[in-house]
Amino acid sequence: MRSLRLPGLIDVHVHLRDPGATHKEDFSTGTAAALAGGVVAVLDMPNNTPPTVNGQRLSEKAQIASEKAHCDFGFYLGATEDNVGDGATLSHRVAGLKIYMGQTYGPLKMADLAALMAHFRNWPAATRPIAVHAGGPSTNSGQGLAMAGAIALARLYGKRLHICHVSRKAEIELIRKAKESWGAKADLKLTCEVTPHHLFLTQADVARLGNLAHVKPPLGTEEDRAALWDNLDIVDVIASDHAPHTIAEKEGPEPPPGVPGLETTLPLLLTAVADGRLSWERLIELTSENPARIFGLRQDERTYIEVDPNDRHVLDGSSLRTKCGWTPFEGMAVRGRVVRVYLRGTLVYTDGQVLAQPGFGRALF
Ligand code: NCD
Ligand code: ZN
Ligand code: ZN
Ligand code: ZN
């Protein structure tokens, strides 16, 4: 079997649910899933219960992760209307400041203009980005405009902006326009990510998947999906937005939004490479080089993965390591499999087995 060496993936958008909802996922299962997906470092979102919005909550999460994580990890600080000061003092301990400008899973929505301005004003420039959930259509909350607002605030206050899970044709066109108007100075000032579910699924899949396809931003039309592929040249990152919920929760009366993704991103992208829709070079930029540049992470020569690009298998939720045990990509035939993962020179995953102990993962910030 011919295997290929690639840099390990850095997934800049995951929800490992620890603390607060460890029945969905925890730092051990989530980071084992990461390694199985060829992901060597994860950046964990702050919409926990309780949310990660101050130094104490960051320390609590760091303690949990340092005991349980199989791969490297970092955290976002969540923005609230009351923690502008924390943003300024804690920036060196986090990947970035996360602002939920639209309603999603969890308590962290912040739409007050004065609070938004205060966060953009106070966030220390030049270090790490402000990451925003600001997309997707919504009838009553003006989310379509939130993204334009976030770009304007970043420009006015001279701060770096990273736009999470871009899902709509108009959004990616807005980002293209903004990058063009920023000109040569745009590098790292404005970055964006797309998810595999918005690249590979559409509203048409909802008939088949039911509530399992419920996600924020919602799956787009075929035109939206095509626009993401057509504009992939200005996309900086592919991130999973790994957002596990149990099957029972998804099939209950109020299904929470979110789909797991840590273990399916790479097989899907390797399939796109096999199909000639993505080059090896772009795959590496989108999943590893750009995440490292945007979040100021040093890439270690001894951290890499080996994939079998010729493998063919069918994605199957029950064989995944994520605690939630399902995937919206169930039944999809893919090309390519992760064979081995090395983290800082140590073999941590081989042929379906996680070898790294909980606690092997290190804090990135
Ligand atoms: C995420 C979650 O479940 O935490 N859900 C989702 O649908 N993407 C929250 C988020 O990323 O907005
Ligand atoms: Zn989001
Ligand atoms: Zn998310
Ligand atoms: Zn196989």
Side-chain angles (χ1 to χ4, degrees), residues 4 14-15 26 42 45 62 97 103 112 140 165 191 200 231 274-275 298 308 329 341 357 362:
L4 274 175
V14 305
H15 302 265
D26 63 42
V42 291
M45 286 294 169
L97 179 72
Q103 189 61 58
D112 179 69
N140 55 13
H165 45 46
T191 57
F200 288 91
N231 290 281
D275 291 344
R298 200 174 56 85
D308 171 7
F329 305 107
V341 178
Q357 295 303 306
R362 285 197 195 155

Side-chain angles (χ1 to χ4, degrees), residues 232-245:
L232 206 59
D233 61 312
I234 60 139
V235 171
D236 299 280
V237 174
I238 293 177
S240 69
D241 192 9
H242 178 79
H245 300 284

Side-chain angles (χ1 to χ4, degrees), residues 308 311-314 334 336-337:
D308 171 7
D311 173 78
R312 290 174 192 270
H313 65 283
V314 172
V334 291
R337 176 185 291 280

Side-chain angles (χ1 to χ4, degrees), residues 13 15 98 100 104 132-134 164-165 216-217 241:
H13 189 151
H15 302 265
K98 177 65 183 284
Y100 289 90
T104 180
V132 288
H133 171 115
C164 297
H165 45 46
K216 294 287 179 91
D241 192 9

